[in-house]
Amino acid sequence: SSAYFFPDGEPLQAGDVRDNPDYAETLRTVASGGAGAFYQGEIAEAIVAAVAEEPRPGTLSLEDIADYEVIVREPLCGAWRTYTVCSAPPPSSGGITQNMIVGLYDRLLPEGAADEEAFLKAFVDAQRLAYADRDHYVADADQVMVPSAQLIDPAYLDARATEAFDPATLPRPGDPGLVLGTGSIVDMWGQDPTEDAPGTTHLSIIDNYGNVVSMTATVESIFGTSRLVKGFFLNNELTDFAREPTKNGKPVANAAAPGKRPRSSMSPTIIFDADGEPKLVTGSPGGNSIIAYTAKTIIGVLDWGKTPQEAIELPNIIARGPKVNVEIDRAGGPESAEALRQMGYDVLEREGENSGLHVILVTEDGLVGGADPRREGVAVALEK
């Protein structure tokens, strides 16, 4: 990759045009030969050769690549108010976490609450509960039992919202099996604090024909493994598995295993109205903070009445683990940090949150879009 970023030994400068003929040839090969041309032949051989290079050579084989299969999964959808919230199913986290956060938010918000601190507290506590469950249960559902439907079941959310915890206390994972009468499941797994590295992108699209796309893609970490093959970078998704396969003497749901797919935080989300028509399209890059970034826009637009751009520009607040991270270099951030601190939360003030939200709201007057100023994305309406 050094030759790509440092042609003739000199670093690329702002404004330089960098072509990529190797990638163009890869695209032509796949266009003419189909998917098989990627998983077998010269491209596969080049991938194996790159993985085997020093330092830290891997053992990926041609057979591994040829045996890989793309799995088409149904989105995981849940009911919230008059809406249907659909996002990615396990091993991605979006379907579970987005439904949990918005559902718990409603249940945690005191009836008749009208002050911003109440909204803020409900949002933070909903995140903390959802992240605790996500970290404990979400993994490759083809290899381990993931209680997806139970975690977003209204009866479980009712019970989970009553599990009050002090702001200074880290909430434990819930037990949907026990709540729903199917048998306790929380002790099946050890708790998993795995971090997700940021190396992700997102786009939201509605076209002239009414087709809707919310797509999040990742190579894990910046530039993946930094190994360039045929014009593209190899990913580093193994780091999305739990670093420790067991915790407290119990297996971790997201432990690495042969043929297993790692857990992701990706949350490409489409929300439908009561008539089944698209209402909101959202998603973001950003490692495990994707979950919080995306949920902020759903609640910001559909509960707080913000435009997509206004919701995007709200300070990012990520409540995973013992600390509540608050973005303080955005308007309202310092005030939110101080309010949460006064409530007793362990607040970590942060700058430079790297969300990349792309949001589209469908209104009676047309589409309203927003793009995150924290990255280079833009909201564009193309001519019909």
Side-chain angles (χ1 to χ4, degrees), residues 75-368:
L76 182 61
C77 300
W80 176 58
R81 300 182 180 177
T82 60
Y83 304 109
T84 301
V85 179
C86 295
S87 192
S92 289
S93 304
I96 288 172
T97 58
Q98 298 311 310
N99 277 285
M100 286 195 72
I101 290 172
V102 296
L104 289 167
Y105 169 82
D106 277 1
R107 290 162 170 82
L108 291 165
L109 194 63
E111 187 173 351
D115 62 284
E116 291 189 5
E117 288 191 5
F119 298 142
L120 181 60
K121 178 174 174 54
F123 179 52
V124 165
D125 285 350
Q127 278 194 54
R128 297 187 81 196
L129 292 168
Y131 267 116
D133 285 2
R134 173 261 188 190
D135 290 351
H136 193 72
Y137 290 110
V138 177
D140 185 350
D142 290 341
Q143 292 214 16
V144 301
M145 192 282 288
V146 181
S148 301
Q150 293 175 297
L151 287 169
I152 66 173
D153 189 293
Y156 174 64
L157 296 180
D158 288 343
R160 189 73 165 126
T162 66
E163 296 178 14
F165 56 91
D166 185 271
T169 303
L170 184 65
R172 285 183 49 78
D175 195 338
L178 190 63
V179 170
L180 300 175
T182 58
S184 177
I185 57 175
V186 71
D187 289 332
M188 288 176 60
W189 309 114
Q191 296 189 48
D192 174 20
T194 302
E195 295 291 331
D196 299 348
T200 307
T201 189
H202 179 85
L203 57 85
S204 298
I205 298 173
I206 298 179
D207 72 9
N208 294 336
Y209 304 100
N211 297 303
V212 180
V213 173
S214 179
M215 186 187 81
T216 313
T218 188
V219 291
E220 182 69 4
S221 190
I222 299 172
F223 301 118
T225 61
S226 297
R227 300 190 181 198
L228 196 65
V229 177
K230 296 286 188 178
F232 59 90
F233 283 99
L234 300 182
N235 71 53
N236 195 29
E237 297 298 332
L238 278 172
T239 58
D240 261 351
F241 282 116
R243 294 185 181 275
E244 299 179 47
T246 60
K247 199 76 172 177
N248 302 324
K250 296 173 185 173
V252 171
N254 188 42
K260 191 175 182 181
R261 295 162 198 253
R263 182 180 66 207
S264 163
S265 298
M266 294 190 287
S267 301
T269 303
I270 301 175
I271 297 180
F272 299 88
D273 64 18
D275 297 322
E277 296 297 323
K279 180 65 178 177
L280 189 72
V281 189
T282 184
S284 178
N288 59 60
S289 297
I290 287 172
I291 293 164
Y293 298 157
T294 304
K296 177 191 73 170
T297 62
I298 297 172
I299 292 175
V301 172
L302 299 180
D303 186 69
W304 300 339
K306 305 290 186 182
T307 67
Q309 194 63 47
E310 289 170 342
I312 289 168
E313 296 193 21
L314 290 170
N316 285 314
I317 298 174
I318 305 98
R320 181 190 186 221
K323 294 185 180 294
V324 179
N325 298 336
V326 180
E327 183 183 30
I328 59 166
D329 53 347
R330 310 294 302 181
E335 294 81 0
S336 295
E338 181 58 27
L340 289 167
R341 193 177 289 111
Q342 291 297 321
M343 294 178 204
Y345 293 95
D346 186 357
V347 173
L348 176 63
E349 297 184 356
R350 301 192 355 164
E351 296 182 2
E353 281 291 334
N354 203 22
S355 57
L357 289 151
H358 282 215
V359 183
I360 304 172
L361 174 66
V362 182
T363 75
E364 292 182 355
D365 300 321
L367 305 179
V368 180

